[in-house]
Amino acid sequence: MVLDRMLPGVSGDELCRQVRAASDVPILMLTALGAVEDRIAGLEHGADDYLAKPFSMRELQLRVAALLRRRRAADPVAVISAGRFRIDPARRRAWVDGREVGMTTREYDLLLHLARHAGELIPRDALLREVWGWAGSDASTVTVHVRRLREKIEPDPAIPVYLRTEWGRGYRFTPDGDASAWT
C-alpha cells in the first residue's frame, strides 16, 4: 500500500494504524512531510518505509519492489519439487538431480518465478516486470540471464530441455523436460 500522510478527510496516520491493526500488508508512506520527526512518526504509526516528496519514480519503484521482496521472503513457502528440480524459497537454494546449483540472486529469482509458473509461456517483458520489477527496459537483460541459468541447469545449454524459448513469444519452464509441452 502506498499511502500519503495528508489525505483529504482522513489522517494518513490514522488510516495506517487501522490497516496495520487488521493486516500485515507492506505500507510505504509517500508524503511531502520529510522532516526526521515526520518520518519517525510515520514509521511509528506502522509504515514499513517512508519516502518524502519530491522523489524519483525509479526510487519509488525500487522501494516498492524491496518491500514486496521482503514480504515474499517472510512468507512461509513450501519447497517446490518438480521433475529433477527442488527449490527451497525459504533458504533461497536450488538443486538439480540432488546437486545444489550455485547461482546469482537474479538467476535464483528467475528460476523460482519460472518454477512457480511451470508449463506456462511467459513473455520476456512479463519476466522483466515480475522478476526485475522493471517496465519498459531492455528485455535483452532477460535473454542474458536465461542463457546463464541454462548453463547451470541444462544438461546441454545449447539444446535446452527444461527452459525453452518460444521465439517471438517468450519462455516456458518444464521441470520434467517433457518435449510434448512444446506442441
Side-chain angles (χ1 to χ4, degrees):
M1 170 183 274
V2 178
L3 180 62
D4 194 330
R5 287 186 70 195
M6 299 185 301
L7 297 171
V10 64
S11 159
D13 293 336
E14 180 56 33
L15 183 55
C16 184
R17 275 193 297 272
Q18 291 172 8
V19 169
R20 184 56 65 228
S23 171
D24 65 348
V25 66
I27 299 173
L28 173 88
M29 286 280 196
L30 179 65
T31 181
L33 301 173
V36 172
E37 299 81 20
D38 295 318
R39 293 191 309 261
I40 290 170
L43 295 169
E44 286 177 336
H45 292 303
D48 296 290
D49 198 359
Y50 196 100
L51 183 59
K53 298 174 187 176
F55 61 92
S56 137
M57 185 55 70
R58 182 76 179 125
E59 181 181 11
L60 175 62
Q61 290 171 329
L62 290 170
R63 285 177 181 264
V64 168
L67 284 171
L68 293 175
R69 254 192 332 271
R70 287 193 297 270
R71 169 67 184 259
R72 282 191 302 267
D75 286 345
V77 179
V79 171
I80 299 168
S81 292
R84 304 170 81 175
F85 294 84
R86 186 168 162 258
I87 304 167
D88 184 347
R91 295 171 45 207
R92 295 188 59 81
R93 295 172 69 186
W95 297 264
V96 178
D97 291 331
R99 176 185 55 86
E100 186 167 2
V101 179
M103 56 187 80
T104 67
T105 297
R106 196 63 77 192
E107 290 165 351
Y108 174 84
D109 290 342
L110 178 60
L111 178 61
L112 179 61
H113 184 78
L114 291 165
R116 286 180 170 157
H117 299 277
E120 296 177 28
L121 176 67
I122 306 175
R124 280 194 315 177
D125 61 335
L127 286 170
L128 196 60
R129 187 176 53 253
E130 295 163 12
V131 175
W132 277 259
W134 301 347
S137 291
D138 183 9
S140 66
T141 299
V142 175
T143 305
V144 170
H145 281 81
V146 165
R147 179 182 50 80
R148 290 181 182 158
L149 184 57
R150 282 181 177 145
E151 290 170 358
K152 296 178 179 186
I153 68 168
E154 294 284 355
D156 181 354
I159 307 169
V161 294
Y162 303 117
L163 180 48
R164 302 281 301 261
T165 301
E166 292 190 27
W167 296 105
R169 298 181 63 208
Y171 299 97
R172 188 182 312 260
F173 179 68
T174 303
D176 59 9
D178 182 7
S180 67
W182 313 114
T183 59

